[in-house]
Amino acid sequence: MVRAWYMNDTNEDQRLEHQLSPPKFLSLDDLFTTAGILYWKLDPKNYDSKLEEIKKERGYNYMDVIQISPDKLHNYEEKIKMFFAEHLHSDEEIRFVTEGSGYFDARDNEDKWVRIEVTPGDLIILPAGIYHRFTLDSKNYIRVIRLFVGEPVWTPHTRPADNMEVRIKYKEQQNAGFVNHNSQMKTGLVN
Ligand SMILES: CSCCC(=O)/C(O)=C/O
Ligand SMILES: [Fe+2]
């Protein structure tokens, strides 16, 4: 089960957990309700057919692999800084973790940081227009499959980007309430 929690705002190393004291965790339902984040758990050793199913269902026709670690990623320091600067994208951010681990941080509906720990088998979808960032944890390695509809656009729009159409649309959806995929997952309708 993926772990997600509200973050403290200390200036410690970004790779640490940054839990509140006492910790305050969020469920999959909470992640969806507060931020529209979708999540699937796949078998990290045997994921081909399930991944194909999700790709087909959601129209993902682009796929590549990124490995993030000091020795595997070109311009590592620069990229790590870029990933951790708060930003949004004009499209969904779809990431499937096959090795290693890391943290996606996203803003909830009260603009608080939520930290989502990802490990092998976790497929996460951050909706278009959500403010977020990414960091490795202290193990310093992750291998991720990136998915996209059509030609990928990775451009990060750093905060503030409140006047972008995609941000306005995201906020409208958030205020109206999202249709809950993650609770269907628990009942076995989606897995
Ligand atoms: C873990 S995938 C690389 C990070 C990335 O693409 C991104 O946009 C983070 O927000
Ligand atoms: Fe991003």
Side-chain angles (χ1 to χ4, degrees):
M1 166 71 188
V2 71
R3 291 196 314 153
W5 57 86
Y6 281 105
M7 296 183 72
N8 67 36
D9 57 3
T10 63
N11 288 326
E12 289 176 316
D13 185 345
Q14 69 193 51
R15 292 171 170 77
L16 300 177
E17 287 198 354
H18 287 263
Q19 296 257 7
L20 294 176
S21 174
K24 191 171 172 206
F25 290 96
L26 292 92
S27 66
L28 289 179
D29 277 356
D30 295 334
L31 285 181
F32 189 82
T33 308
T34 196
I37 295 170
L38 296 176
Y39 172 84
W40 281 260
K41 183 75 188 178
L42 277 62
D43 179 345
K45 299 225 180 315
N46 183 18
Y47 54 77
D48 283 355
S49 63
K50 185 67 204 174
L51 192 59
E52 276 311 308
E53 203 181 293
I54 295 169
K55 282 170 65 181
K56 203 166 155 201
E57 194 180 295
R58 298 186 65 87
Y60 303 144
N61 50 5
Y62 173 92
M63 188 164 117
D64 72 7
V65 173
I66 179 169
Q67 294 192 83
I68 307 174
S69 75
D71 55 331
K72 289 202 160 67
L73 187 64
H74 184 61
N75 286 340
Y76 169 80
E77 290 295 344
E78 192 187 306
K79 297 240 173 78
I80 277 289
K81 267 198 202 122
M82 194 179 85
F83 295 153
F84 200 63
E86 183 170 2
H87 63 274
L88 59 76
H89 303 282
S90 52
D91 301 274
E92 291 177 338
E93 179 162 324
I94 311 127
R95 302 290 187 263
F96 174 54
V97 181
T98 58
E99 294 172 15
S101 50
Y103 300 126
F104 284 96
D105 298 339
R107 295 284 190 179
D108 79 347
N109 58 4
E110 294 177 348
D111 214 32
K112 291 188 194 134
W113 279 121
V114 172
R115 174 152 279 194
I116 305 157
E117 177 184 54
V118 289
T119 58
D122 290 339
L123 191 156
I124 188 169
I125 302 179
L126 304 178
I130 190 174
Y131 283 128
H132 68 282
R133 63 190 181 190
F134 172 80
T135 181
L136 289 175
D137 61 22
S138 46
K139 296 189 203 95
N140 267 344
Y141 173 66
I142 198 165
R143 181 182 186 275
V144 172
I145 295 179
R146 304 189 294 188
L147 300 143
F148 208 85
V149 180
E151 269 305 299
V153 180
W154 309 126
T155 313
H157 300 277
T158 47
R159 193 169 183 175
D162 295 347
N163 293 329
M164 286 183 70
E165 204 174 310
V166 67
R167 177 67 187 170
I168 292 165
K169 201 166 152 214
Y170 171 76
K171 287 305 291 177
E172 281 169 5
Q173 285 170 337
Q174 193 173 43
N175 292 335
F178 301 99
V179 178
N180 203 336
H181 155 98
N182 283 335
S183 64
Q184 289 180 326
M185 204 176 102
K186 277 197 305 202
T187 61
L189 289 170
V190 184
N191 57 36

